[in-house]
Amino acid sequence: MSLHSSIPVQSPLFEGLSGDEIAIVYGFLKQRRYPKGSVVFEEGDKGEEIFIVRTGRIGSSVAQTDGTRRTIYEFSPGRFFGEMAVIEGAPRSAQCRAEEDSELLVLEGTDFYHLVFEHSAIGHKMLTSIGRVMVSWLDESSHFLNDLVRWGETARRRAVEDALTGLFNRRFLEESLGNRFSAISSGGHRFALVMMDLDRFHEINSACGARGGDLVIQAAAAAFKPALREGDVAARLAGDEFAFLLPDTGKEDAFLVADRLRRCVESLHPAIVPESGGVPVPFNMSASLGVAVAPDQASDTAALTAAADKALFAAKEAGRNRVVAAE
């Protein structure tokens, strides 16, 4: 069977295209078969292709916190999927797999943009169809819309939050720092970055294992809130490493906030059961912190992070459980 005769011209993606325009699109499409149960792409994969269902049925699902998967949509012949990851340049937001033996037509992202830019009339019609179909699909059932909204919120949180502590993650912090530097170049205010390490955390891990270490990290994260002001950003970078973005803050105020954070950690005395078992053992906690201010001490994210890290190292070298501000 030729590729031309197998194209589902009734697909909403081709609505409004003339015969000649469809013929141009034909030249970019490839056929691909998926046996029942095979995965088309995984949640989090790089989005590089748009898929049109010629035959069969494709299920779309997202992972839930209990490890199960929730089906959010099924694509029947003529339906298309995967377009938003290509348009946004974002990872796949769900897993898609064949619910039965299926044949898909595949339009690579590079070819899609070739159509958009080199054949603007075709690109305009296809983008219009994508927008129209998205709206109609969302309106097909209210429960699907509600599930999608809830799933979207969960996915958004996963993208910016640290799973263990509920604080922001490294990615969110780095994006926030980049936005702050962009604002400074447009006349925005200065801001501060505080880097923190829990002191001698490896000793807790050695005595109580990874689970005990996680409990200590969670306790520390919960203790930060009283020390922070509205608008301050707390993030967990990795292990026992934390960072704090303090908007509209100079060196002196940043030092005061950092010292409040230090005292919050110092007030903690968690009792953790040793890895070998037995009665809980209390631990005295402390933290070392380094402070740097932009644009006073750095003009980009990498330089500011390096300055705060250097100050943090100086705090450790000076005996730990203290704050050092970058010179």
Side-chain angles (χ1 to χ4, degrees), residues 9 29 64 97 113 115 139 164 198-200 230 239 291:
V9 181
L29 293 174
Q64 301 189 107
R97 60 181 291 160
Y113 281 107
L115 288 168
D139 287 340
L164 179 64
L198 301 181
D199 293 333
R200 297 185 175 87
E230 184 176 357
V291 176

Side-chain angles (χ1 to χ4, degrees), residues 142-258:
S142 60
H143 74 83
F144 169 69
L145 176 58
N146 291 335
D147 284 352
L148 185 62
V149 169
R150 287 195 295 269
W151 164 80
E153 178 62 18
T154 300
R156 184 195 68 79
R157 289 198 301 269
R158 286 202 306 268
V160 301
E161 285 187 3
D162 171 63
L164 179 64
T165 63
L167 302 179
F168 290 110
N169 58 21
R170 181 187 292 273
R171 174 184 174 185
F172 181 85
L173 177 73
E174 290 177 347
E175 290 180 354
S176 298
L177 289 171
N179 291 337
R180 287 285 167 179
F181 276 110
S182 296
I184 282 180
S185 66
S186 304
H189 298 161
R190 61 183 177 174
F191 61 94
L193 176 65
V194 178
M195 303 291 282
M196 171 195 286
D197 279 358
L198 301 181
D199 293 333
R200 297 185 175 87
F201 179 72
H202 67 280
E203 296 177 5
I204 299 175
N205 255 348
S206 297
C208 300
R211 177 55 183 161
D214 286 349
L215 291 174
V216 168
I217 289 171
Q218 290 174 322
F224 296 151
K225 187 174 182 180
L228 298 173
R229 310 158 304 174
E230 184 176 357
D232 291 342
V233 174
R236 179 184 176 224
L237 305 183
D240 64 314
E241 302 172 15
F242 299 91
F244 307 87
L245 168 60
L246 312 180
D248 305 325
T249 305
K251 182 177 179 179
E252 292 183 2
D253 286 340
F255 190 96
L256 292 175
V257 173

